[in-house]
Amino acid sequence: MKKTLLTVIALVAGLTSVSAIDNNTVEVTYNGSSATISVASNIASYVTVSSGTSSHVKIVQSAAFAGVDATVDNEDGEIIYVLKGTSTDGEFYLDGSFKCTVELNGLTLTNPSGPAMNIQNGKRIAVSAQKGTTNTLTDGANETYKGCYHCKGHTKFKGKGTLTVKGNSRHAIYSGEYIEVKNLTLNVTGAVKDGIHCQEYFLMESGNVTIASTGDDGLQVELDGLTSTGTTTGHEDEDSGNFYMTGGTLNITGYTGKAVKADGLISTTGGTRNFSASDMEAYSGIDGVTVDAAETIVSDLSGRRMGQSARPGIYVVRQGGKTVKKVVR
């Protein structure tokens, strides 16, 4: 990738490095209570840093950014955020309106008052743990957010490194849309609620995922809308509440609810897991086993069965292979 002279955002006072940095790259290096933020000159006009040198880093990508300087390795010309270093009182906050990649390159980040990573960008976020690196995220007790890793959009976890996450407030990992996992070694060492919680669908293609010591389910998948799309070709625009496992290793222990819970179906066509179908709960069937078409089950959004009559609220209604969310007034 082409190198360009380093541009340091003007709001980040006191940084005078003139080393080379890759095009389309923002580097964030945490060091205790401070962070050094370096921005490549070709994207400097699209990136605003409002945190100064604080370890609570806040970055906003301009709504005008739609990709620049595309390459073979970065075909969409998206911005790549490289995070490294250590802070016991830090955060990475990111907003924007175009997909991006977050590369973890030896990061240990703890936020005692909120999420370690708070991504308010509603597009695709690729989180890549670089090969040979160990990365750790830990949050603090604050229920105004949903995860130690909190993402408004959809997340693709990948890379040949290791990422360890602990959720001391709610979920360890939360994504407002789908989650996909490929190659990564992902460890959830504890969560007050679910270890991993997402909407639309969850897909594990490869890698190793270990989830332990959760106050609710190990992994939960919800519908995002009121009606399931079912499985779509290539999962394009899919909102099914489905769980898919086609490869890799999934170990879930120490959960209070279920190992896996899904608003849709649970499909395990490959890989290995350390729990049985009885440790999974799906509203539309498990491994191709569908429920009785005559059976109707009404549950609240936490999975508790409510019977046929319920108080006003939003409920999940399953009948046969069809699952919908229903508003009761």
Side-chain angles (χ1 to χ4, degrees):
M1 186 179 292
K2 184 179 178 181
K3 299 280 187 177
T4 185
L5 287 182
L6 177 70
T7 293
V8 179
I9 294 298
L11 288 174
V12 186
L15 304 182
T16 57
S17 172
V18 292
S19 60
I21 186 173
D22 289 335
N23 269 354
N24 295 56
T25 301
V26 176
E27 290 187 354
V28 181
T29 303
Y30 291 89
N31 185 11
S33 60
S34 66
T36 301
I37 304 165
S38 307
V39 182
S41 60
N42 75 314
I43 55 170
S45 62
Y46 298 110
V47 178
T48 300
V49 181
S50 61
S51 54
T53 58
S54 168
S55 55
H56 286 260
V57 174
K58 185 173 183 179
I59 298 176
V60 177
Q61 256 184 224
S62 169
F65 182 80
V68 297
D69 295 336
T71 64
V72 173
D73 294 330
N74 186 2
E75 61 183 15
D76 295 312
E78 64 191 71
I79 295 177
I80 300 170
Y81 297 87
V82 179
L83 310 184
K84 51 189 175 181
T86 301
S87 176
T88 57
D89 186 6
E91 178 183 9
F92 179 71
Y93 176 97
L94 177 66
D95 202 349
S97 55
F98 192 81
K99 55 191 172 183
C100 65
T101 294
V102 178
E103 289 188 359
L104 307 179
N105 195 356
L107 174 71
T108 300
L109 188 60
T110 298
N111 184 0
S113 58
M117 292 184 64
N118 187 353
I119 299 179
Q120 291 299 310
N121 184 333
K123 301 299 184 179
R124 187 272 290 145
I125 308 299
V127 177
S128 177
Q130 297 301 285
K131 184 177 181 180
T133 67
T134 299
N135 306 276
T136 303
L137 303 176
T138 308
D139 68 353
N142 182 339
E143 292 207 1
T144 60
Y145 64 96
K146 296 182 179 180
C148 175
Y149 170 86
H150 179 112
C151 181
K152 179 180 178 181
H154 39 280
T155 305
K156 291 189 176 184
F157 287 106
K158 63 180 185 177
K160 295 185 178 181
T162 299
L163 173 60
T164 298
V165 185
K166 184 172 184 180
N168 290 309
S169 180
R170 300 182 73 181
H171 312 305
I173 294 172
Y174 170 83
S175 197
E177 298 175 357
Y178 68 77
I179 287 178
E180 296 182 358
V181 178
K182 188 174 183 178
N183 295 327
L184 184 70
T185 296
L186 178 60
N187 302 315
V188 171
T189 57
V192 173
K193 293 191 175 182
D194 302 331
I196 297 176
H197 189 111
C198 67
Q199 299 185 80
E200 297 187 344
Y201 69 88
F202 175 91
L203 169 62
M204 181 169 179
E205 296 183 80
S206 59
N208 293 278
V209 175
T210 300
I211 302 172
S213 303
T214 62
D216 199 348
D217 304 310
L219 193 156
Q220 184 174 8
V221 190
E222 290 187 316
L223 279 171
D224 187 23
L226 297 177
T227 304
S228 172
T229 62
T231 303
T232 64
T233 302
H235 304 292
E236 186 71 23
D237 297 323
E238 180 172 334
D239 181 15
S240 61
N242 291 349
F243 168 93
Y244 304 100
M245 183 174 180
T246 61
T249 300
L250 178 59
N251 293 309
I252 305 178
T253 59
Y255 45 88
T256 302
K258 291 289 185 177
V260 175
K261 183 185 289 185
D263 279 358
L265 63 83
I266 291 176
S267 173
T268 56
T269 58
T272 60
R273 64 180 192 269
N274 71 324
F275 51 89
S276 66
S278 63
D279 295 315
M280 301 186 287
E281 180 178 308
Y283 293 105
S284 299
I286 298 175
D287 288 331
V289 179
T290 58
V291 299
D292 185 341
E295 182 182 17
T296 298
I297 297 174
V298 179
S299 304
D300 66 13
L301 297 182
S302 297
R304 295 185 292 266
R305 297 192 180 188
M306 307 302 291
Q308 296 303 304
S309 61
R311 295 178 179 178
I314 300 175
Y315 297 91
V316 177
V317 180
R318 180 190 73 179
Q319 185 171 27
K322 184 177 181 181
T323 301
V324 299
K325 280 187 177 179
K326 182 177 181 180
V327 178
V328 177
R329 294 183 172 86

